Amino acid sequence: MTEAWRPDDDDDQQRRGASGPVRVRVPAKVNLHLGVGPLRRDGYHELNTVYHAISIYDELTARRGDTLTLTMEGEGAGELALDDTNLAIRAAHALAGYAGVPPHARLHLRKQIPLAGGLAGGSADAAAALVACDALWGTGLSRDELAGIAADLGSDVPFLIHGGTALGTGRGEAVSPVLARPTSWHWVVAIADGGLSTPAAYAELDRLRDAGAAGPPLGSTDGLFAALRQRDPRVLAAALGNDLQDAALAMRPSLAGTLKAGEAAGALAGIVSGSGPTCVFLATNADDAERIAAELATAGVCRQARTAHGPVAGARIG
Ligand code: ATP
């Protein structure tokens, strides 16, 4: 006799957790608008930003284990510490503490997002670890609860739980999704040799502003949102902006050549991503993006040029 399905079965399964491996894919982010306001008393800057998740992914697999361990391959392997300072491990501890479960898992990271590249790779790994361990341990938290834990791990982590395109305020951790009609934007991502430190980029911006050598701050995100609604890449290109770009260029003057090369290759616009040194270029369509990426690779102005599209979903199982 076949046993009847009971409505509680799925809930039981969620509570017990997964017996097999849980694999989570998590995207990189770029900032379509990164407005940096004044330095707050807590040492963070007030931000007014529009996050956008693009199709360059890290992948984190979580398996059952007797302790918490992390291994990795890909970008940054051999450079990045795999101990309690790693954001994936910190995220697993934070979730276990919140849910009152032992932090036992074997985590493995396959990284494609470059280290300290301005694409929020570490934050992405933290978001992936929260989603993977939640499924592995059967803690069954909602995405909003996970985003609440994420906010303590880093300003970009809540966005990488949600993905898509979203407004970020506060220090970037307060995320409101943008409900735009679906449009896919085509990007070229120029990955540089070596990284840039995010705190150093903010300190450089403060220095430039104190010296009166920074450009005027970007201000409101209204223009960017209006551009997104028009669904025309030329209009979006004109609305992109990053207050940290002057700082990144001051720290890495060669990025000016990368931006110039992308625009010479036919990109509609190029900006430094976050605190850099990655530069991202908006293309008219997917074919144009391929062509621009090939030209950038030939020009030798970056370590690697890749195409990507966005927006894409945040950290997801599968
Ligand atoms: P953001 O755009 O959020 O400022 P970023 O892309 O410039 O970040 P990340 O790659 O996120 O830089 O990493 C910044 C630092 O975080 C690294 O230099 C490293 O010391 C630390 N870190 C901790 N865990 C990780 C991780 N899993 N992946 C990458 N960096 C990590």
Side-chain angles (χ1 to χ4, degrees):
M1 199 177 82
T2 322
E3 213 177 305
W5 176 83
R6 290 174 297 118
D8 292 346
D9 284 355
D10 288 348
D11 286 351
D12 285 351
Q13 175 59 42
Q14 245 200 337
R15 271 195 292 274
R16 278 198 306 272
S19 50
V22 178
R23 196 181 61 127
V24 169
R25 204 163 76 136
V26 65
K29 68 87 196 153
V30 297
N31 303 79
L32 305 180
H33 172 115
L34 178 48
V36 181
L39 188 60
R40 308 190 317 193
R41 283 181 139 183
D42 63 3
Y44 290 98
H45 289 79
E46 193 68 29
L47 297 188
N48 195 20
T49 189
V50 180
Y51 292 116
H52 181 72
I54 60 167
S55 61
I56 293 179
Y57 296 98
D58 280 357
E59 190 184 288
L60 183 134
T61 306
R63 295 181 170 81
R64 290 200 171 269
D66 301 326
T67 57
L68 181 57
T69 59
L70 175 64
T71 51
M72 74 171 285
E73 62 186 294
E75 286 282 337
E79 271 174 70
L80 186 62
L82 299 174
D83 57 14
D84 284 0
T85 61
N86 194 291
L87 280 157
I89 294 280
R90 287 181 48 206
H93 276 300
L95 173 64
Y98 179 90
V101 299
H104 294 167
R106 288 182 293 138
L107 307 180
H108 182 74
L109 252 181
R110 286 180 59 194
K111 265 187 92 61
Q112 292 194 50
I113 307 174
L115 281 196
L119 297 171
S123 303
D125 300 342
L130 289 175
V131 171
C133 290
D134 179 56
L136 185 76
W137 297 334
T139 40
L141 301 192
S142 68
R143 234 150 240 283
D144 283 345
E145 274 177 296
L146 291 176
I149 303 171
D152 292 333
L153 295 164
S155 303
D156 299 339
V157 188
F159 169 69
L160 289 155
I161 297 273
H162 295 292
T165 303
L167 173 68
T169 53
R171 57 179 165 80
E173 86 291 3
V175 173
S176 324
V178 175
L179 298 172
R181 279 189 294 168
T183 306
S184 209
W185 306 100
H186 298 280
W187 302 97
V188 179
V189 181
I191 296 169
D193 268 323
L196 276 182
S197 146
T198 304
Y202 279 99
E204 178 64 16
L205 176 63
D206 291 338
R207 199 190 62 75
L208 291 172
R209 283 181 171 171
D210 287 347
L218 279 178
S220 126
T221 51
D222 291 353
L224 197 276
F225 285 125
L228 281 173
R229 280 193 295 273
Q230 289 193 51
R231 308 169 85 197
D232 177 343
R234 280 176 191 76
V235 177
L236 181 61
L240 299 173
N242 178 1
D243 277 343
L244 277 180
Q245 182 155 314
D246 287 345
L249 288 171
M251 294 164 75
R252 187 76 68 88
S254 63
L255 295 181
T258 310
L259 291 172
K260 237 182 178 169
E263 286 169 17
L268 299 172
I271 51 167
V272 170
S273 176
S275 53
T278 305
C279 293
V280 291
F281 299 92
L282 184 60
T284 312
N285 53 45
D287 287 346
D288 248 23
E290 290 293 346
R291 194 185 47 71
I292 294 162
E295 279 197 37
L296 283 176
T298 310
V301 291
C302 54
R303 168 161 69 89
Q304 194 190 10
R306 302 183 55 163
T307 58
H309 60 91
V312 297
R316 294 287 182 277
I317 296 172

